[in-house]
Amino acid sequence: MSIRLFLPQDTTACALGANEVASALLAAAAERDMDIELVRNGSRGMFWLEPMLEVEEDHQRHAFGPLTTDDVDLLLRCLLDDLSVHPRYLGPTEAIPYLQQQQRLTFARAGIGDPLCLDTYTRLGGFKGLQRALQMDGQQIVDEVKSSGLRGRGGAAFPAGIKWQTVLDAQSAKGQKYIVCNADEGDSGTFADRLLMEADPYQLIEGMLIAGLAVGATRGFIYLRSEYPRAFKILQQAIERAEQAGYLGADICGSGKTFELEVRLGAGAYICGEETSLLDSLEGKRGMVRAKPPLPAIEGLFGQPTVVNNVLTLAAVTTVMAEGADYYQNYGMGRSRGTLSVQLAGNIQRGGLIELAFGATLRQVVEEFGGGTFSGRPVRAIQVGGPLGAYLPQQHWDTPLDYEAFAAIKAMLGHGGIVVFDDTVDMADQARFAMEFCAVESCGKCTPCRIGSVRGVEVIDKVRANVERDNNLILLRDLCDTMEAGSLCAMGGMTPYPVRSALDYFADDFQR
Amino acid sequence: MALSATQTATIASLIEAEAHRQGPLLPILHAVQQALGYIPADAVPTIAKALNLSRAEVHGVISFYHEFRTEPGGQTTVQVCRAEACQARGSRALEAHAKQALGLEYGETSADGSVTLEAVYCLGNCACGPSLRIADEVYARVDAGRFDQLLSRITGRGDAV
């Protein structure tokens, strides 16, 4: 009987050498005439252990990692004898504390099997939510999502059920509504969407199907950033297989309902993660931000009622529908219900994906899961929520991961990205970069963002060169106020967050 | 530079293959760039006519997106991630090294046409930076030594370009 091994095909695993380990493994096994079956799964999200190999033995998975090609020979010998003697042996995968201490709902299946295997997906509970949705009418599905308390995971945290209700109630002049998945995961420090699409793509497809049934939309688009070529290939194949199996197309599971899905690539514009800019881009235009109203839910893609949701929001819907709103609602705190997929990144010992009920503190995540910095130096600043999120000093690390708690300290949870910096960071550099990034990525439609960001870089340069420093610091704050109050979208409106937090909490760095 | 007959035929067939889509402009531009390595200026009128757009509209779209190029790039594109998570792991030093080793600024192509250096803002490998992308492969924890090693693979030489 052949031995089943699992080695991820995930971007980060491959960036750390998974393909080289896979080739070495297959070659060494062939040389020894060993019968092995190598499954290229998704990642479990414990990136510091990648490439992480798993072995299935007596229905239990055992992990080894991080592996290099040098570990392969001994590994094959251990497979025939005693697994635990290998220096890279990590024990049963499910017992690794990093994984065991999570509350995985959305990422429960991630890393278990071949991401494209439909049998694996259904065996692990996939399409259960869809089957239930097929028995319900649109309003019932929307009510279920509403009572789950699910809020948009892309950053704005708008209640998903209310958005869906608006689209359900909207009349389309052309009789066409759309579901658009925002997979333009451009925030630095975030990779949960990518991980999910590479590890469990059918979950996203199922979520979009449910959304289509709920609001009466028959067409869907996944707008994927072009920086994710691996996710693109996996999604394309997953869509094709789902079509062949009757989950997508003219007659979903024999229900007579239609849903067609297409994945589209962006072209390297951060702003296209903003939903209205994304819609313009999908229509084949420059990705310019639209003024709201009209809301995309009423006049969205090609002017028709459109649900625009993040990957993780649509994925979470499958749990809500499969297990019921109450089940989902039981996780979390306050108005933040369910789980948050924290992405631990930057200068961190144990970086990766940590799915937890809302309410854990930043410190718990960074210290207990992350194990401190990669460099071994003290943590100085933590940026939460991507390039538009505030840099938080130690005094705020006990803030619970909750949308309202973060808003109260003028920060934001956003998409759950946490980027850790050690004490070598120059916060004036980081403030300057925030403005520079805004200047590079602004769509250019509104003046405070387009010009304010350029002026922001110049003013910070003057502060650092000690040219009328005090006056220029006042000017910088003034500029931040103008950008926040006068910009059309979050790009110009929130670039002041990282800048002000650097000024407020790390003032010394501007006085050198 | 006028288009060759092959290029013209390629562009026409790509337009035909993609034009049935809703909002076909980006898919067409991606297809043209993938086939030819760039989007030649002379392709713009053809694309505009096929989609009933003005040339200015097509040009406007091409110039908006960082990824579309209007001139041929090098045989290999090397992208250095400049975003915050990689900064926290030393990407500023990596970018300085990359520029120096290649003798290029962002957006420039080496004289022998082998390498184009580009900045990128996030490759989704934020837990294991600094990150580098060469063609469609991402590399993790790239320091100066690793950069030189990867570079020698694409230039086929032991030393830098």
Side-chain angles (χ1 to χ4, degrees):
Chain A
M1 197 185 102
S2 73
I3 307 170
R4 284 188 92 191
L5 303 174
F6 299 82
L7 188 65
Q9 54 174 307
D10 169 270
T11 295
T12 290
C14 292
L16 290 163
N19 287 336
E20 288 75 8
V21 172
S23 307
L25 205 58
L26 292 171
E31 207 172 284
R32 287 159 192 267
D33 241 350
M34 266 175 80
D35 184 12
I36 64 163
E37 180 197 348
L38 183 62
V39 178
R40 298 303 299 271
N41 56 338
S43 174
R44 301 268 193 166
M46 297 183 283
F47 287 138
W48 88 98
L49 294 176
E50 296 289 2
M52 188 181 92
L53 180 95
E54 291 179 80
V55 182
E56 197 172 66
E57 212 178 68
D58 303 328
H59 303 288
Q60 195 177 33
R61 300 263 287 254
H62 298 265
F64 298 84
L67 293 182
T68 68
T69 49
D70 294 339
D71 297 313
V72 164
D73 271 325
L74 180 59
L75 190 104
L76 289 181
R77 269 183 277 148
C78 292
L79 288 183
L80 300 172
D81 188 16
D82 180 1
L83 301 180
S84 66
V85 301
H86 198 284
R88 299 277 179 228
Y89 181 61
L90 299 164
T93 314
E94 303 287 347
I96 297 173
Y98 197 91
L99 200 56
Q100 200 183 30
Q101 288 162 16
Q102 300 192 27
Q103 283 120 18
R104 287 202 167 189
L105 304 180
T106 297
F107 286 88
R109 264 182 306 263
I112 293 186
D114 173 355
L116 289 171
C117 177
L118 270 166
D119 285 344
T120 305
Y121 184 67
T122 42
R123 184 170 53 80
L124 297 171
F127 293 125
K128 201 172 139 190
L130 173 68
Q131 298 300 350
R132 189 162 160 248
L134 283 168
Q135 310 302 318
M136 297 161 82
D137 68 23
Q139 188 59 56
Q140 287 172 317
I141 302 172
V142 171
D143 286 343
E144 190 83 20
V145 174
K146 268 190 201 162
S147 59
S148 75
L150 175 65
R151 292 163 73 179
R153 295 287 186 256
F158 188 81
I162 294 180
K163 190 184 273 189
W164 288 22
Q165 184 71 60
T166 311
V167 180
L168 174 62
D169 293 342
Q171 298 297 318
S172 163
K174 293 182 183 163
Q176 181 69 61
K177 296 178 184 179
Y178 295 99
I179 308 298
V180 171
C181 170
N182 184 344
D184 195 50
E185 186 179 46
D187 286 353
S188 175
T190 64
F191 44 75
D193 295 352
R194 178 187 66 66
L195 178 56
L196 186 105
M197 292 183 287
E198 292 180 5
D200 199 16
Y202 295 120
Q203 188 179 186
L204 174 58
I205 293 174
E206 183 184 350
M208 293 186 74
L209 274 160
I210 294 169
L213 293 171
V215 305
T218 55
R219 276 197 74 91
F221 290 95
I222 300 170
Y223 185 90
L224 178 73
R225 66 200 299 258
S226 58
E227 290 84 349
Y228 287 175
R230 211 173 283 271
F232 182 56
K233 280 181 208 137
I234 290 175
L235 283 174
Q236 278 185 315
Q237 292 176 52
I239 290 172
E240 201 175 305
R241 291 194 192 191
E243 277 168 0
Q244 284 163 5
Y247 289 104
L248 286 172
D251 185 18
I252 307 160
C253 302
S255 65
K257 304 263 174 69
T258 299
F259 194 74
E260 280 162 24
L261 183 57
E262 197 180 317
V263 54
R264 286 285 177 88
L265 279 184
Y270 175 78
I271 194 60
C272 291
E274 195 284 329
E275 61 175 3
T276 61
S277 158
L278 184 155
L279 294 174
D280 267 18
S281 183
L282 261 183
E283 291 178 5
K285 301 173 189 158
R286 293 162 69 87
M288 303 289 275
V289 173
R290 299 178 186 174
K292 288 193 269 193
L295 293 170
I298 293 165
E299 279 182 44
L301 187 62
F302 302 109
Q304 304 308 306
T306 304
V307 169
V308 186
N309 277 146
N310 174 255
V311 174
L312 299 185
T313 315
L314 290 160
V317 163
T318 65
T319 307
V320 170
M321 292 307 294
E323 307 300 329
D326 288 346
Y327 175 86
Y328 195 76
Q329 154 81 273
N330 272 334
Y331 292 87
M333 69 173 277
R335 287 173 52 218
S336 305
R337 309 313 308 177
T339 54
L340 176 70
S341 301
V342 171
Q343 299 126 85
L344 199 46
N347 197 330
I348 191 81
Q349 190 70 246
R350 299 193 292 259
L353 188 287
I354 304 158
E355 185 176 355
L356 290 172
F358 284 93
T361 69
L362 195 51
R363 192 188 297 276
Q364 279 174 323
V365 171
V366 170
E367 290 177 2
E368 290 168 26
F369 283 92
T373 61
F374 185 83
S375 60
R377 302 181 64 95
V379 179
R380 181 154 185 247
I382 304 176
Q383 188 180 29
V384 184
L388 308 176
Y391 286 96
L392 299 174
Q394 193 155 12
Q395 73 211 64
H396 285 311
W397 297 346
D398 292 310
T399 309
L401 299 171
D402 161 66
Y403 294 117
E404 278 65 41
F406 266 66
I409 58 164
K410 295 196 170 75
M412 65 148 181
L413 264 189
H415 188 47
I418 294 179
V419 178
V420 177
F421 290 79
D422 73 10
D423 62 353
T424 60
V425 66
D426 179 342
M427 293 306 298
D429 262 346
Q430 299 311 119
R432 185 187 191 279
F433 179 79
M435 286 291 189
E436 185 189 352
F437 182 67
C438 183
V440 173
E441 298 295 342
S442 172
C443 83
K445 185 159 181 165
C446 62
T447 318
C449 177
R450 183 184 69 245
I451 296 178
S453 54
V454 176
R455 293 290 169 261
V457 172
E458 292 167 1
V459 172
I460 293 172
D461 282 345
K462 283 182 190 162
V463 167
R464 301 181 79 188
N466 202 9
V467 178
E468 289 190 68
R469 181 173 276 159
D470 291 345
N471 283 338
N472 274 308
L473 281 170
I474 296 168
L475 190 60
L476 180 58
R477 291 211 181 249
D478 199 44
L479 183 60
C480 284
D481 293 344
T482 305
M483 288 175 73
E484 184 177 13
S487 299
L488 199 52
C489 81
M491 176 99 233
M494 292 188 71
T495 291
Y497 280 49
V499 177
R500 279 202 204 106
S501 63
L503 288 168
D504 289 342
Y505 305 128
F506 306 95
D508 290 352
D509 290 17
F510 294 84
Q511 299 293 340
R512 287 180 189 151
Chain B
M1 195 170 63
L3 296 175
S4 70
T6 334
Q7 283 177 324
T8 308
T10 305
I11 292 166
S13 73
L14 291 173
I15 293 173
E16 202 186 315
E18 304 288 342
H20 70 280
R21 295 178 190 274
Q22 287 186 289
L25 184 52
L26 259 70
I28 289 172
L29 295 175
H30 272 300
V32 170
Q33 178 152 311
Q34 187 158 21
L36 306 180
Y38 70 113
I39 302 164
D42 286 344
V44 172
T46 318
I47 296 169
K49 196 173 173 207
L51 302 185
N52 198 22
L53 296 169
S54 70
R55 279 181 289 169
E57 282 170 306
V58 176
H59 174 77
V61 170
I62 295 169
S63 64
F64 182 85
Y65 296 94
H66 299 306
E67 194 169 307
F68 294 135
R69 56 168 100 234
T70 49
E71 280 168 22
Q75 277 165 348
T76 309
T77 300
V78 175
Q79 292 182 321
V80 181
C81 178
R82 291 197 72 211
E84 290 89 341
C86 285
Q87 290 169 11
R89 286 288 290 273
S91 68
R92 287 175 205 267
L94 175 66
E95 98 181 327
H97 176 80
K99 286 179 178 179
Q100 201 225 339
L102 290 164
L104 299 174
E105 287 298 314
Y106 286 133
E108 291 180 351
T109 300
S110 60
D112 65 356
S114 62
V115 182
T116 297
L117 182 67
E118 286 181 354
V120 68
Y121 297 92
C122 198
L123 295 165
N125 184 46
C126 316
C128 304
S131 309
L132 195 73
R133 178 175 170 184
I134 300 175
D136 270 355
E137 285 303 317
V138 175
Y139 298 88
R141 295 186 192 132
V142 181
D143 56 14
R146 177 80 169 133
F147 181 86
D148 292 343
Q149 192 190 10
L150 291 167
L151 190 66
S152 68
R153 259 194 239 168
I154 55 174
T155 56
R157 277 185 269 163
D159 54 352
V161 180

